[in-house]
Amino acid sequence: MTAPTITSIRAGRIGDSPQRPDGRQKVTGEFAYSSDLWLDGMLWGATLRSPHPRARITGLDITGAVAMPGVFAVLTHEDVPGRETYGLERPDQPVLAIDQIRYQGEPVALVAADHPETARRAAGRIRVSYREEPPLADARAALAPGAPSVHPGGNLVRHVRVRRGDPDARAAVVVTGEYEVGMQDQAFLGPESGLAVPAADGGVDLFVATQWLHVDRDQVAASLGLDPDLVRITLGGVGGAFGAREDLSMQIHACLLALHTGKPVKMSYSREESFFGHVHRHPASMRYEHGCSAGGRLVYVKADIVLDGGAYMSSSPAVAANAATLGIGPYEVPNVVMDSYAVYTNNPPCGAMRGFGAVQACFGYESQMDKMAAALSMDPVEFRVRNAMREGSVMPTGQVVDSAAPVAELLRLVRDRPPPPARDTGDLRSLPGGVSNTTHGEAVVRGVGYGVSIKNVGFSEGFDDYSTARVRLELTGGEPSAQVHTAAAEVGQGLVTVLEQIVRSELGVERVAVLPADTTIGSAGSSSASRQTYVTGGAVRAACAEVRSQLLARAGDPAAGSPGNRPPGLAGAAGLGDLVALLGKPAEATVTWRHRPTAPLDPGTGQGQAHVQYAFAAHRAVVDVDTELGLVKVVEIATAQDVGKAMNPQAVEGQIHGGIAQGLGLAVMEEIQVAGGVVRNPSFTDYLIPTILDMPPVRLDMLELADPHAPYGLRGVGEPPAISSTPAIVAAIRDATGIPLTRIPVRPEHLTATQPDEGPDPPSAMIMGRNAPHRVPFDPRS
Amino acid sequence: MTTRHPPGSPGSAAVEFLRPRSLSQALAAKAELQDALPIAGGTDVMVEINFGKRRPAALLDLTGVRELRGWQRDGALLRVGSGVTYTRLEAELAGLLPGLAMAARTVGSPQIRNRGTIGGNLGAASPAGDCHPVLLAAGAAVEAGSVRGARLIPADAFFLGPKRSALADDELITAVLVPPAPGPQQFAKVGTRNAMVIAVCSFALELRPGAGVGTGIGSAGPTPLRARDAEDFLAAELAGSGLWESREPLPGAVARRFGELAAAAARPVDDVRGSAAYRRHALSVLARRALGWAWDSYRKEGHLCG
Ligand SMILES: Cc1cc2nc3c(=O)[nH]c(=O)nc-3n(C[C@H](O)[C@H](O)[C@H](O)COP(=O)(O)OP(=O)(O)OC[C@H]3O[C@@H](n4cnc5c(N)ncnc54)[C@H](O)[C@@H]3O)c2cc1C
């Protein structure tokens, strides 16, 4: 059983925009997602989850489920043969709950049955007795002395300190602000799903939608107590990821059931279960103080950022590092005191999501930049430009930005775009509320706002970040054709197309096949951190160079010896006739490729060459707000982004539009509402994501300022669009309404002063003093 | 690897699927199997089944019942079959029942509007159903059929509680009977997204020139509601000041008071979609604006006629 090989003979080299192989299939509904996997005789797995956010398990009786006809297995944590916990950075999360519950939805038991409905019903017959305990639901309160611990060792997951310059710096103009970010969900459309098939050698083959096959494999193998070689993972059709597939969901569960029953087991979450099946974006509570000279130069920034990591660690340490190191934005600031904390609570676990710590901070610092501009009576763009970072600027970590950082130029580009046309009150779709007919222009006020952002590309803090690629060139039917094999996950971003383009450009062949991603080749790293075109693209390029050298050597070309010498493609170098002759036997190379190394942050000062590459984007949002009803229509987004090299301009544009949609969602609608640790809206009826009628036209300026350190000069593009689009939209709403708006998503209640009565404020807790002893767990990535 | 659906349902839990071909067959089936769940467009039923909220023993598919699928004039009234979809309400009834067409236009997405029916909206009896405020404002009646015969339930007696209606177990909704709009109608709905959103609250209005006013409130109480005080107030103002005849601009104070009274009729709660305070506030705005738009078109009509 194999996933389909994606072969393509479409033209298209680097810089072109060839059609993607999965596009038509996805639009017509023919694409096979991991939830479509099927084997005759397979069983269906179901998960029993805790309804309570915090509880002790005082009894667990599976007899009712075991007795049901059609049920093949009912498993609890006692059936986990290997390590009973897993986790990206530290294995603190039980495969199945061990005596206690730390969040609502925590898996307690598994069932395999011959029909999905039977499996679900059997799960319902498992009797679990819980002794409920009051959940720890407030992240700042979790840091207060005496707070009950979610895990032994306290609730602090990581405290990242960054210190630059004079911590006691003073300034002529000072503004402070407190900001909050709600819990956003990745809301991918293809729920968690996969198929585990037991193998004759005692191992297991897993077909699954994921972002990083090899970390899945290692965690699955540890919990199964198997050698990693006995766990073979093949990528299934992925219906979106955005970070939510970086942690495990059903992987270990399906494999456990498959090995236990000796039969293939499929698991596929429902939409509701999906909301409990993956990590979300960290909610944040942030305090900022900005000091500025009377002339409008930033003197200092002091900030603390508390990120609610929920019940388990996931990638919280790296998210905290991103928030800390990127937390003052793309500005030159000589004095910085930054403290970022990730904490455990009994809320849903949070981890990776597009923007990864940079999103939360950007809402804080960009809100502050507007506030400071107002305090100085300066134009908000002019104020940003005056403080903008450029190539050669020094980060608060001491790292020098050593490639293009066109922050001022990006800001000017969006500012100088002509304004969008006046609204057409004759077309309801162009008004806040849309066809719901709430206004014909009454009380509608236009506002304009700006945002600019910085994001690291790739994994940071000394992590060994590499990818592996095999390229093979051979004759098929008398024609040269290339095969590319990597373990890099195509999650919808268009990686397969880009890898084909690279091979065509490097080897000058038209026929290129991208083989299914699996673990029979070395790791490609994760499809996250805007890194996959950079790192796996780099590996494929390097493998192509190897293949070319081999062939040139066969041809006796003296250039073959020097890999740095890159003729413009084989066809050009050797001529197609020669190439056919040279390919009497195939040429093949497997290469492991690394970007330049990074270094850990100093635990006391946060100094270090922590990041590989920085990416920048600017946004101008124009909104129409019905100021009486508090409804918002985003009219237009103008954006400018430096992408280094547009490998596939259409794919880049797609990333930018999609990222803006996600940023818009966080600005005005997307929030998992959690009360006392309980999720109140686990469905697409009430977790709202933007529709096409919410998405405005995007005016895009794409800069291509090559990064000399990166393959082709490219710069990661996936995340920046989702970062400053949010504060730009909020700034535009502030501009229209004059309301300060310190929390996202902005709700109609915030714009009409009709928030629900919340009763007495929860006890407010101070963060432990800035000099409190800190603890830095091993933390490879950011 | 192929794509398939799991075969059948397990064990004895199979769902019986009844497909009557005529209304009499449908009513007979409902009389015989009273816990059979009617399914029309399925846009509520299938969601509930998929979410595991319902496990009906039998489904009674009404899509093959031709009698339910049309609308026609019935004396002074319009008879809109329960199986008429939103797409058709919007396309075919915009002239005769503009408020209903406006409400239909706000429902879901094109796919939902192609499947979803007015009968299904009533059958679900959600306080957020978008047809309901218009039917209340227009003084409609729901026709309930059974083997015992047909009866008419006034719209304001149809809704008993959240997702509870006055329909008996052996009855089906066969049609809605409603007078063609005697004057301007409006429908406005607040949601936190610009399309495809369940109402946070909604408001419907009908002006009956020389005769009175009808109102309906959605998603701001356990059932859809009429704002009777607002209706009485406005009817008295319009009649008392001779505004129906003069078609003068409506005093701002009257529109504002109307909005306040509409909001006062609501019985909202705080929930994930919005706060009670917001719903009240928004209703006062929607009612005031809807009245302004309706009155404007009433004045323009007069101008055109005369
Ligand atoms: C994505 C999505 C968006 C939606 N958006 C909206 C929206 O904006 N506004 C809104 O109001 N609704 C919305 N809905 C809900 C739903 O589409 C409507 O309520 C629709 O009118 C239901 O009609 P239906 O024909 O699909 O009903 P069905 O699902 O077939 O039935 C609904 C209920 O009515 C009963 N029923 C159906 N016909 C009859 C009958 N003739 N006699 C007795 N009982 C009957 C059924 O047993 C069931 O209880 C949405 C649903 C979805 C899935």
Side-chain angles (χ1 to χ4, degrees):
Chain A
M1 193 174 73
T2 54
T5 300
I6 301 168
T7 308
S8 143
I9 49 165
R10 295 175 313 280
R13 303 195 176 196
I14 291 169
D16 297 340
S17 297
Q19 244 189 42
R20 43 191 298 163
D22 52 343
R24 196 189 165 79
Q25 295 173 21
K26 283 178 174 165
V27 172
T28 55
E30 281 160 23
F31 184 81
Y33 290 97
S34 55
S35 51
D36 298 319
L37 292 162
W38 181 282
L39 267 188
D40 284 331
M42 71 183 186
L43 303 177
W44 296 78
T47 315
L48 178 69
R49 295 173 182 275
S50 166
H52 311 297
R54 186 182 179 114
R56 293 274 155 189
I57 297 177
T58 56
L60 184 57
D61 176 6
I62 62 170
T63 46
V66 174
M68 265 181 77
V71 169
F72 284 70
V74 182
L75 306 182
T76 69
H77 77 92
E78 290 175 355
D79 301 298
V80 178
R83 196 174 68 191
E84 282 198 55
T85 56
Y86 69 95
L88 276 178
E89 298 206 9
R90 188 203 285 163
D92 67 346
Q93 183 156 4
V95 173
L96 292 165
I98 307 168
D99 304 333
Q100 61 173 314
I101 298 298
R102 296 190 181 88
Y103 76 99
Q104 183 204 18
E106 181 150 7
V108 176
L110 302 170
V111 177
D114 58 7
H115 192 281
E117 182 63 30
T118 309
R120 277 193 291 273
R121 288 188 193 183
R125 292 214 189 157
I126 299 170
R127 295 281 155 257
V128 189
S129 314
Y130 297 101
R131 195 178 68 235
E132 285 182 67
E133 294 173 355
L136 184 59
D138 180 88
R140 282 193 186 264
L143 285 178
S149 283
V150 177
H151 291 271
N155 297 326
L156 181 63
V157 175
R158 186 181 183 189
H159 171 193
V160 182
R161 295 161 54 96
V162 178
R163 299 289 183 274
R164 178 168 190 235
D166 175 6
D168 301 316
R170 292 171 171 277
V173 187
V174 174
V175 296
T176 59
E178 299 193 8
Y179 304 95
E180 259 184 64
V181 180
M183 186 185 290
Q184 189 179 20
D185 189 61
Q186 298 84 351
F188 52 53
L189 295 187
E192 294 82 348
S193 48
L195 175 62
V197 186
D201 60 2
V204 62
D205 291 282
L206 176 65
F207 301 80
V208 68
T210 182
Q211 287 178 244
W212 189 354
L213 280 71
H214 285 76
V215 295
D216 280 16
R217 179 197 63 181
D218 293 348
Q219 295 177 86
V220 170
S223 290
L224 298 179
L226 288 178
D227 189 283
D229 288 343
L230 289 174
V231 177
R232 291 159 297 250
I233 302 189
T234 304
L235 187 68
V238 183
F242 312 108
R245 296 189 208 271
E246 207 158 69
D247 289 81
L248 297 181
S249 56
M250 44 56 67
Q251 284 89 330
I252 302 175
H253 295 168
C255 292
L256 276 175
L257 291 169
L259 290 179
H260 211 87
T261 59
K263 288 173 176 291
V265 174
K266 172 169 174 169
M267 293 187 86
S268 185
Y269 290 176
S270 68
R271 176 58 55 196
E272 183 178 12
E273 185 169 21
S274 177
F275 275 98
F276 297 99
H278 60 253
V279 298
H280 316 288
R281 189 190 298 292
H282 290 72
S285 153
M286 306 181 286
R287 297 175 182 155
Y288 273 89
E289 180 179 320
H290 279 59
C292 198
S293 73
R297 291 299 301 245
L298 286 167
V299 176
Y300 72 86
V301 176
K302 295 180 188 174
D304 77 53
I305 298 176
V306 175
L307 298 156
D308 184 347
Y312 295 103
M313 182 177 284
S314 179
S315 49
S316 284
V319 172
N322 263 12
T325 56
L326 308 171
I328 65 158
Y331 303 110
E332 288 190 334
V333 184
N335 307 296
V336 175
V337 178
M338 163 66 77
D339 291 273
S340 159
Y341 305 82
V343 302
Y344 285 128
T345 64
N346 293 115
N347 288 323
C350 289
M353 182 175 173
R354 196 178 201 170
F356 204 81
V359 165
Q360 294 89 335
C362 186
F363 174 59
Y365 64 71
E366 286 300 82
S367 297
Q368 284 285 101
M369 292 301 281
D370 283 333
K371 205 169 178 177
M372 181 61 90
L376 294 164
S377 302
M378 266 181 84
D379 174 76
V381 174
E382 185 47 39
F383 176 57
R384 285 174 170 84
V385 166
R386 197 168 293 187
N387 290 283
M389 151 182 295
R390 57 184 68 100
E391 184 166 354
S393 293
V394 182
M395 295 289 291
T397 56
Q399 185 169 20
V400 174
V401 178
D402 63 357
S403 73
V407 177
E409 186 180 352
L410 296 173
L411 282 162
R412 289 195 195 102
L413 281 168
V414 298
R415 181 194 58 197
D416 295 343
R417 278 264 173 196
R423 69 186 149 265
D424 172 9
T425 48
D427 183 352
L428 284 178
R429 288 171 305 178
S430 74
L431 289 164
V435 297
S436 291
N437 189 36
T438 49
T439 179
H440 298 174
E442 296 90 341
V444 179
V445 179
R446 183 155 286 191
V448 181
Y450 295 88
V452 63
S453 52
I454 178 171
K455 177 69 185 46
N456 60 321
V457 173
F459 284 6
S460 303
E461 293 188 78
F463 185 78
D464 182 20
D465 192 13
Y466 67 92
S467 180
T468 316
R470 174 157 55 240
V471 171
R472 181 183 170 91
L473 190 61
E474 63 192 351
L475 292 179
T476 40
E479 296 266 331
S481 74
Q483 285 183 354
V484 194
H485 189 195
T486 77
E490 165 68 71
V491 298
Q493 80 276 45
L495 182 73
V496 163
T497 319
V498 165
L499 298 185
E500 287 174 2
Q501 291 175 257
I502 290 175
V503 175
R504 285 200 194 95
S505 296
E506 294 294 334
L507 297 181
V509 291
E510 292 306 314
R511 290 167 156 273
V512 181
V514 177
L515 300 182
D518 60 30
T519 49
T520 61
I521 187 167
S523 175
S526 181
S527 287
S528 65
S530 306
R531 67 178 280 288
Q532 208 58 290
T533 299
Y534 189 133
V535 188
T536 293
V540 168
R541 183 179 71 159
C544 287
E546 231 347 274
V547 164
R548 197 172 44 228
S549 303
Q550 287 176 21
L551 290 171
L552 294 176
R554 285 181 202 175
D557 186 314
S562 70
N565 184 344
R566 310 197 300 102
L570 266 184
L576 199 59
D578 294 353
L579 185 57
V580 170
L582 290 176
L583 281 173
K585 75 175 197 301
E588 182 179 305
T590 305
V591 170
T592 301
W593 189 86
R594 296 178 156 74
H595 59 65
R596 55 193 176 138
T598 58
L601 295 169
D602 179 275
T605 62
Q607 298 298 295
Q609 312 290 310
H611 297 309
V612 187
Q613 185 189 52
Y614 295 102
F616 305 91
H619 296 87
R620 180 190 71 188
V622 178
V623 304
D624 279 340
V625 183
D626 181 334
T627 54
E628 245 184 328
L629 286 175
L631 301 180
V632 176
K633 168 85 184 170
V634 181
V635 173
E636 185 201 76
I637 299 282
T639 184
Q641 185 170 336
D642 171 27
V643 302
K645 167 75 192 166
M647 302 290 285
N648 178 326
Q650 192 182 54
V652 170
E653 210 177 323
Q655 287 293 310
I656 290 173
H657 285 233
I660 287 171
Q662 224 153 8
L664 186 157
L666 178 59
V668 295
M669 63 182 85
E670 289 190 40
E671 182 175 8
I672 296 188
Q673 299 183 39
V674 184
V678 174
V679 175
R680 300 168 74 208
N681 55 339
S683 83
F684 280 165
T685 309
D686 287 311
Y687 183 89
L688 299 183
I689 56 178
T691 68
I692 196 68
L693 284 180
D694 297 283
M695 184 63 194
V698 171
R699 312 284 172 219
L700 168 61
D701 282 301
M702 206 190 281
L703 301 190
E704 296 187 75
L705 308 174
D707 177 350
H709 311 286
Y712 306 110
L714 72 84
R715 204 174 285 286
V717 298
E719 291 169 286
I723 301 175
S724 43
S725 47
T726 305
I729 290 167
V730 178
I733 302 173
R734 286 190 198 109
D735 183 46
T737 61
I739 300 171
L741 300 177
T742 56
R743 185 182 197 284
I744 47 174
V746 175
R747 297 183 55 90
E749 282 86 349
H750 297 138
L751 299 175
T752 52
T754 52
Q755 284 95 326
D757 299 330
E758 300 215 19
D761 284 342
S764 80
M766 278 307 298
I767 293 206
M768 289 178 292
R770 296 217 150 99
N771 300 319
H774 55 270
R775 186 172 66 91
V776 183
F778 169 69
D779 169 49
R781 317 171 321 126
S782 283
Chain B
M1 219 166 308
T2 53
T3 307
R4 270 191 261 165
H5 293 290
S9 257
S12 59
V15 180
E16 205 176 332
F17 196 72
L18 309 168
R19 305 204 69 188
R21 288 280 147 210
S22 68
L23 183 58
S24 58
Q25 279 180 16
L27 295 177
K30 187 65 176 143
E32 196 180 323
L33 208 60
Q34 301 203 353
D35 56 2
L37 184 68
I39 177 166
T43 58
D44 269 323
V45 168
M46 291 315 298
V47 173
E48 295 200 332
I49 290 177
N50 287 339
F51 270 60
K53 291 196 180 133
R54 263 190 203 260
R55 279 283 170 258
L59 284 172
L60 180 61
D61 175 16
L62 300 177
T63 53
V65 180
R66 208 166 30 82
E67 293 97 314
L68 303 180
R69 291 205 304 255
W71 66 269
Q72 56 284 132
R73 284 185 181 270
D74 185 349
L77 299 177
L78 291 168
R79 186 170 202 287
V80 182
S82 60
V84 175
T85 62
Y86 294 110
T87 300
R88 291 187 57 198
L89 293 177
E90 194 186 334
E92 299 169 27
L93 286 167
L96 291 167
L97 293 171
L100 197 57
M102 286 167 135
R105 190 183 179 195
T106 74
V107 172
S109 58
Q111 297 90 328
I112 297 294
R113 294 196 288 275
N114 284 339
R115 292 289 309 176
T117 63
I118 185 170
N121 210 210
L122 286 163
S126 157
D130 285 324
C131 291
H132 311 335
V134 182
L135 297 179
L136 288 171
V142 179
E143 185 187 79
S146 70
V147 289
R148 297 174 286 126
R151 64 176 177 131
L152 285 178
I153 310 169
D156 61 5
F158 182 79
F159 304 102
L160 301 182
K163 306 206 165 189
R164 281 198 306 119
S165 75
L167 213 60
D169 282 345
D170 66 341
E171 283 178 326
L172 292 174
I173 300 163
T174 45
V176 169
L177 291 164
V178 55
Q185 293 183 335
Q186 280 292 337
F187 175 78
K189 150 177 159 183
V190 165
T192 31
R193 178 157 76 179
N194 288 308
M196 180 106 142
V197 67
I198 304 293
V200 171
C201 63
S202 63
F203 185 78
L205 172 68
E206 176 180 275
L207 296 184
R208 299 168 198 143
V213 204
T215 60
I217 292 172
S219 223
T223 65
L225 300 163
R226 274 175 61 185
R228 289 172 200 272
D229 289 348
E231 290 173 8
D232 294 346
F233 162 78
L234 184 58
E237 284 291 328
L238 295 176
S241 330
L243 282 163
W244 288 123
E245 295 75 26
S246 72
R247 301 189 193 235
E248 289 293 311
L250 204 62
V254 171
R256 270 195 304 280
R257 183 72 190 135
F258 178 71
E260 287 163 14
L261 289 170
R267 285 148 57 202
V269 293
D270 292 335
D271 65 18
V272 285
R273 294 183 192 145
S275 72
Y278 176 73
R279 287 182 158 108
R280 269 189 209 286
H281 165 77
L283 276 170
S284 73
V285 176
L286 292 184
R288 165 161 52 76
R289 288 184 185 172
L291 175 56
W293 302 328
W295 190 253
D296 273 356
S297 37
Y298 177 64
R299 296 185 66 213
K300 279 194 200 115
E301 279 163 28
H303 181 70
L304 291 177
C305 301

